[in-house]
Amino acid sequence: MSFNVIDLVVLGTAAGGGFPQWNCRCQNCLAVREGALGLTPRLQSSLAIRGRLGPWHVVNTSPDLASQMERFLICADEPADLVSLRASPIASVLLTNADLDHCLGLFTLREGKELRVTAPDGVRGSLIRDLHIDAVLGKYNGIRWAFASDDWMPVDQSGLEVRVVPLSHAEPPKYDLHSVEEDHARCHGVGYQFRHKDHEGVIGVFPDVGWIDQDLLGRLGECSTVFFDGTFWTDDEMAVLGLGDRSARDMGHIPMSGLGGSIEALSQLAGTSVYFVHINNTNPVLRPQSPERRTLES
């Protein structure tokens, strides 16, 4: 996609586990394996953004990152004299939270140069304390942590700017076993807004949102384009299928449908294009002819 002088590539749209999910035999996963119902495989949720002619910056690094880079970001026709024998197309990473499907790709980048990673304090703490990411990558390329501001700040020299949008109701990741009461006050989840300093238009990236309050709705309304959490269609989707007893909101995802769902909230935005990402393999909107898909499109 091209937005004036900003380029954006959606690297994947599936939630954790991908689509189909390797251990799942739900209707959707069976259909995509059989090539039925118009379903096609999807890589795990991530996107890359850059100012025109600038380097790529990736929002969340999924376990599919190597395949995503090969497919979308590495150009085979680049002049050989402009490319070193070992080079990465990624200049930096921005994490929205510390979920494994958003951060395991950092280990894939271990053989490149030092990583510049932007993340809120709670996310950084979980990765360092529980995944020992500094210790592991310190044996390879290392991490240089960066902190996004809620004021606009440059990402690089291309004119691309970013600011962070802290999210309420963002929980520490499952593997964070050391979280104590005061740790929950730290920021464990954010969205990002991007713009070019010389052009109008704001791009919002919000793949994990548990609740839309008026403050967040206002920030979403500032965006001309939003990539938003589409994990579950209903709040009890997993329970109905017998795949778990936690609701969508319990897992930090506002459902798309129903009273207080994201469709109801986002329909209030005037002039904002919405793309749903981080779609779970169980979500019926994946089926092109489903009534849920028709409801969403209408």
Side-chain angles (χ1 to χ4, degrees), residues 19 148 170 248 270:
F19 184 62

Side-chain angles (χ1 to χ4, degrees), residues 26-43:
C26 71
Q27 178 185 1
N28 286 348
C29 288
L30 290 175
V32 73
R33 292 187 184 109
E34 296 167 358
L37 303 180
L39 294 174
T40 56
R42 292 169 180 251
L43 298 174

Side-chain angles (χ1 to χ4, degrees), residues 28-201:
N28 286 348
C29 288
L30 290 175
V32 73
R33 292 187 184 109
E34 296 167 358
L37 303 180
L39 294 174
T40 56
R42 292 169 180 251
L43 298 174
Q44 293 174 77
S45 180
S46 179
L47 63 83
I49 191 168
R50 69 178 181 182
R52 188 66 49 82
L53 303 179
W56 289 107
H57 303 273
V58 174
V59 181
N60 294 329
T61 56
S62 84
D64 298 326
L65 183 61
S67 298
Q68 291 168 332
M69 285 193 291
E70 286 289 347
R71 181 173 178 181
F72 297 111
L73 302 183
I74 297 176
C75 299
D77 59 353
E78 290 185 51
D81 60 346
L82 297 182
V83 181
S84 64
L85 289 179
R86 290 289 176 91
S88 171
I90 296 175
S92 78
V93 171
L94 300 96
L95 298 177
T96 60
N97 61 27
D99 287 354
L100 292 178
D101 59 310
H102 287 163
C103 66
L104 286 181
L106 293 174
F107 294 102
T108 300
L109 299 173
R110 68 191 181 278
E111 292 159 335
K113 296 180 179 179
E114 180 184 54
L115 288 174
R116 178 161 64 92
V117 180
T118 298
D121 52 1
V123 172
R124 179 172 49 88
S126 295
L127 293 175
I128 293 173
R129 181 182 58 228
D130 293 276
L131 286 190
H132 305 286
I133 196 164
D134 273 10
V136 173
L137 293 185
K139 301 294 184 180
Y140 294 89
N141 51 351
I143 288 182
R144 176 164 51 91
W145 294 101
F147 300 89
S149 169
D150 55 5
D151 293 323
W152 289 107
M153 57 183 294
V155 179
D156 54 33
Q157 302 302 313
S158 70
L160 184 66
E161 296 182 335
V162 66
R163 68 178 175 185
V164 69
V165 181
L167 299 175
S168 59
H169 302 86
E171 293 291 318
K174 293 179 182 178
Y175 60 80
D176 190 338
L177 303 179
H178 300 87
S179 289
V180 292
E181 185 175 349
E182 59 266 23
D183 195 40
H184 284 260
R186 305 170 72 194
C187 184
H188 287 277
V190 299
Y192 291 101
Q193 290 178 313
F194 296 91
R195 72 177 185 186
H196 192 280
K197 66 181 182 66
D198 296 327
H199 292 266
E200 295 182 357

